[in-house]
Amino acid sequence: MVCRLCRSRDLESVLDLGATPPCESFLTADRLDDPEPTYPLHVRVCRACLLLQIPALVGPDETFTEYAYFSSFSSSWVDHARRFVDEATERMDLVARDDAFVVEVASNDGYLLRHVVDRGIRCLGIEPSVNVGAAARDAGVPTLTAFLNPETAARVRAEHGPASLVVANNVYAHIPDVRGFTEGLRTLVTDDGLVSIEVHHALRLVAEAQFDTVYHEHFQYWTVLTAMRALEAGDLTVIDVEALPTHGGSIRLWATPSANAGPPSERTLDLLAEERRAGLHAVEGYRGLDSAARDARAAVLEFLLDCRRRGERVVGYGAPGKGNTLLNYCGIRPDLLEYTVDRNPYKHGRFTPGTRIPIHHPDRIAADRPDVVLVLPWNLERELTDQLRYVGDWGGRVVFPLPSLRTADLSRATLRTDEPVEALS
């Protein structure tokens, strides 16, 4: 394997999750007797530039032509996007600017840009998945079906002009050609504009053994340090970074063309210092990840086996990509998790890849009244603890598997835990 950022061949293994199917390749009932291709999930860190990464074994064109993930099915995520648009509009005074133009890369079903449209600001989504891009257009969000690369960026700039703001939420991990994608971002933005990138923070992945964040769509896992290095290679400089609670702990990077950049903000320096204290500015800081993931797997399996011995009925909530990594790594099948449910109708009647657990409408939980509901998108715990409060009506429990196994207190819709809620949200 060659590092996709610095091209070094000096990489060290830090987490091996075995081989699994692609996390969004949900099976239909008529395919249950078919074999499934599996690919290694093996994380390495580059000794030269410290980028945490997996080999690009499943290309974006295989994953994103038709995609099972629709951002708008998460109420908290849509609200997060609305707040971002409010803050960015004020920060850049976009409403008052006649030439304001916002581009979002990997714009999904228009979950974010619909708030830009509502403010009367010109915008464009660039989304490779045909089905979710069509949903965005149906919602009134102008959307181009394409992957971002330097050629696409040049075409968009020639047709629409440069963008005041370029948004790239939860896509910078999905790009095997980091340099080409970053060059595309630079081509899209004006010389004095801003690029905003949200991505899961590798600090949280390592510190909390969030192994389910690893799947074939995620080619790399970013610290502030490595993201700064990648953006600099595309003539973009990070000037500010925000720590966010989303996805189990994320960062929002604000970058601008390097010729226009000033010094980094105080909170950028603070986050760099936090990473350094955690050991992530050296290879040694990553070496405990594999062992910690094994311990987390053991805790989840011991819990489910105890439930089975007690004759308790256990079902799941959610069928996210990260959940499929957890199910496959832990070897959880319908004998331990009878079924799971999801708000996305695309997944109803399908089965999870590899583990082949059936997926139903969320109404199934109230009808069946199970003893335990295991929440697979544990990063949405505040939203889902509140939504699943009704499980307590029949004495059922709602359990979150990671970063540490814990049970929700449904009477208050908050978690019974000794750890701060902020560290788990």
Side-chain angles (χ1 to χ4, degrees), residues 60 64 104 115 138 187 239 248 265 283 297 304 396 411:
F64 294 109
E104 185 184 11
H115 304 295
D138 289 344
T187 299
I239 56 173
S265 67
V283 172
R297 174 177 62 181
L304 292 175
S411 65

Side-chain angles (χ1 to χ4, degrees), residues 342-355:
D342 199 274
R343 292 176 61 186
N344 185 348
Y346 176 91
K347 300 178 184 180
H348 298 164
R350 297 182 184 243
F351 297 79
T352 58
T355 54

Side-chain angles (χ1 to χ4, degrees), residues 249-305:
S250 298
I251 47 177
R252 177 185 291 149
L253 303 142
W254 290 92
T256 194
S258 296
N260 185 57
S265 67
E266 193 66 32
R267 56 185 176 183
T268 302
L269 299 177
D270 288 344
L271 280 169
L272 285 168
E274 184 180 355
E275 291 178 352
R276 191 177 300 108
R277 289 192 298 271
L280 299 191
H281 292 183
V283 172
E284 292 75 15
Y286 298 88
R287 288 180 177 155
L289 181 56
D290 196 76
S291 176
R294 293 180 190 180
D295 290 344
R297 174 177 62 181
V300 172
L301 281 173
E302 286 168 4
F303 170 76
L304 292 175
L305 289 168

